[in-house]
Amino acid sequence: MILVVARRLGEMVFVLVSISVLVFLIFFATPGADPAARLAGRGATPATLAAVRHSFGLDKPLPVQYVLMMKHLFITQDLTSFVNPGEKVVPAVLQAVPVTLSLVFGAAIIWVVAALFVGVIAAWARDTLLDRMLMLFSLIGVSMPVFWLAEVANLITQARYHDTWLFSWVPALGYVPLSVSVVGWFKSLIIPWTVLAVTYIGLYGRVLRSNLVEAMNEDYIRTARAKGLSERQIILRHALRMSLITLVSMFGLDFGLLAGGGALLIEVVSGLPGVGELTYQALQNLDLPFIMAAVLYGAVFIVVANTVVDMLYAVIDPRAR
């Protein structure tokens, strides 16, 4: 087991280094992509371009540029924005991380608990009206774009019905740090949590229901029935554990993607200053250091999440051991 963990950690480091090289080459070595021209502005003279290249180290060989960029990004952490030279990249990203993690953790708790409820109930009442209704609502949830749903939620809670007793407690768009006010933090995130969770509730609920129905035809389930166990005991004690393997894999990918900046749309619409919002602003300004830092940050979360999922397989499924 220790060798397997060590091998997975080695593969994770190799993948992260490969991603950093690829991202660097895309932004700094692609034909036609000249960061110096972006920094110097339109109509810059050759002398100005040469001065900018020298100032930012862009006149050095690519391997040297890569090493210097990684040094400024991960070791000295003094890499600054190309658009706002005084703004450091790493502190800005680290300041945005708690916002994104707060959003994703809260939404994940909601969608996992709700999806377990939907999937188990639908499998237990399979081929009934209740099953069909749950799957219909799940399909509706999966089909609604998250940015549209967030805009509708803002329209209802911030404008149309904000003065009513139902939504008068909803604060203005933005983020309240947990260290400032626990209640304010919760209020500022409850609507984004719910909006982000809706899609995943439908998706996970449908997948879990399908896996449970398929597991109910396995031999070990027939053995459990022969022992006289009730349908509820069979689903919760036997079928659910094996059906969770697919959900664990999905959760690792989705959580890593969202925590790595995949929640960009909901952060922008809800006014949350997270990594997604930071990436959005960097893309608008073509701020290469911020874009590269955001991409590498997202890659770390996704790769680490995949590694953790692979290790959890051995805990959930005895066959993996």
Side-chain angles (χ1 to χ4, degrees):
M1 186 66 181
I2 296 178
L3 292 177
V4 174
V5 173
R7 180 172 60 85
R8 289 294 298 146
L9 292 177
E11 292 174 354
M12 181 181 70
V13 173
F14 174 76
V15 170
L16 290 176
V17 172
S18 301
I19 291 175
S20 68
V21 173
L22 181 61
V23 170
F24 174 81
L25 292 177
I26 290 174
F27 289 141
F28 291 88
T30 303
D34 187 2
R38 170 65 183 171
L39 292 170
R42 295 181 179 180
T45 63
T48 303
L49 288 174
V52 169
R53 289 193 182 96
H54 179 73
S55 176
F56 286 90
L58 300 175
D59 55 347
K60 295 180 172 59
L62 279 178
V64 178
Q65 290 186 43
Y66 170 78
V67 173
L68 291 176
M69 187 67 69
M70 295 302 108
K71 175 186 175 182
H72 290 307
L73 189 59
F74 293 108
I75 299 177
T76 61
Q77 298 185 356
D78 57 355
L79 182 65
T80 58
S81 166
F82 282 176
V83 177
N84 302 309
E87 185 179 8
K88 293 186 177 181
V89 171
V90 175
V93 173
L94 293 179
Q95 187 177 1
V97 168
V99 182
T100 298
L101 291 182
S102 296
L103 171 65
V104 177
F105 267 114
I109 293 173
I110 294 175
W111 91 57
V112 168
V113 173
L116 286 174
F117 176 81
V118 170
V120 170
I121 295 299
W124 175 74
R126 58 188 177 277
D127 298 329
T128 64
L129 180 61
L130 177 60
D131 177 25
R132 295 188 181 92
M133 291 299 296
L134 287 174
M135 291 301 98
L136 175 62
F137 285 120
S138 297
L139 181 60
I140 293 174
V142 172
S143 304
M144 287 190 295
V146 65
F147 64 88
W148 175 84
L149 187 59
E151 288 285 7
V152 172
N154 290 341
L155 178 64
I156 293 174
T157 61
Q158 297 289 337
R160 188 68 59 85
Y161 299 104
H162 180 69
D163 295 331
T164 64
W165 64 270
L166 192 58
F167 296 112
S168 59
W169 57 270
V170 178
L173 297 180
Y175 177 74
V176 178
L178 183 62
S179 58
V180 174
S181 172
V182 177
V183 176
W185 172 81
F186 181 84
K187 288 182 178 180
S188 66
L189 287 172
I190 184 63
I191 301 299
W193 282 344
T194 306
V195 170
L196 184 58
V198 166
T199 297
Y200 294 96
I201 292 173
L203 177 62
Y204 281 54
R206 291 176 67 86
V207 171
L208 180 59
R209 187 261 184 197
S210 177
N211 289 344
L212 285 172
V213 171
E214 182 179 354
M216 296 301 286
N217 296 321
E218 297 290 340
D219 292 337
Y220 67 92
I221 297 296
R222 297 190 185 96
T223 302
R225 284 199 182 98
K227 291 181 179 179
L229 296 179
S230 65
E231 197 73 5
R232 180 179 62 84
Q233 291 175 319
I234 291 173
I235 291 177
L236 296 180
R237 292 184 183 180
H238 298 279
L240 182 59
R241 180 176 181 181
M242 298 305 298
S243 301
L244 286 178
I245 296 175
T246 303
L247 260 65
V248 168
S249 179
M250 293 174 56
F251 181 81
L253 293 173
D254 292 333
F255 185 88
L257 178 63
L258 291 173
L264 183 150
L265 293 176
I266 186 67
E267 287 183 3
V268 171
V269 174
S270 301
L272 300 175
V275 178
E277 169 71 16
L278 192 68
T279 306
Y280 174 74
Q281 296 296 334
L283 288 171
Q284 282 190 318
N285 299 321
L286 290 179
D287 198 344
L288 297 183
F290 267 107
I291 297 174
M292 187 171 65
V295 171
L296 292 178
Y297 161 83
V300 168
F301 263 97
I302 294 174
V303 173
V304 170
N306 276 276
T307 303
V308 172
V309 166
D310 289 344
M311 295 177 182
L312 284 178
Y313 280 156
V315 177
I316 298 175
D317 189 356
R319 296 172 298 182
R321 298 195 289 267

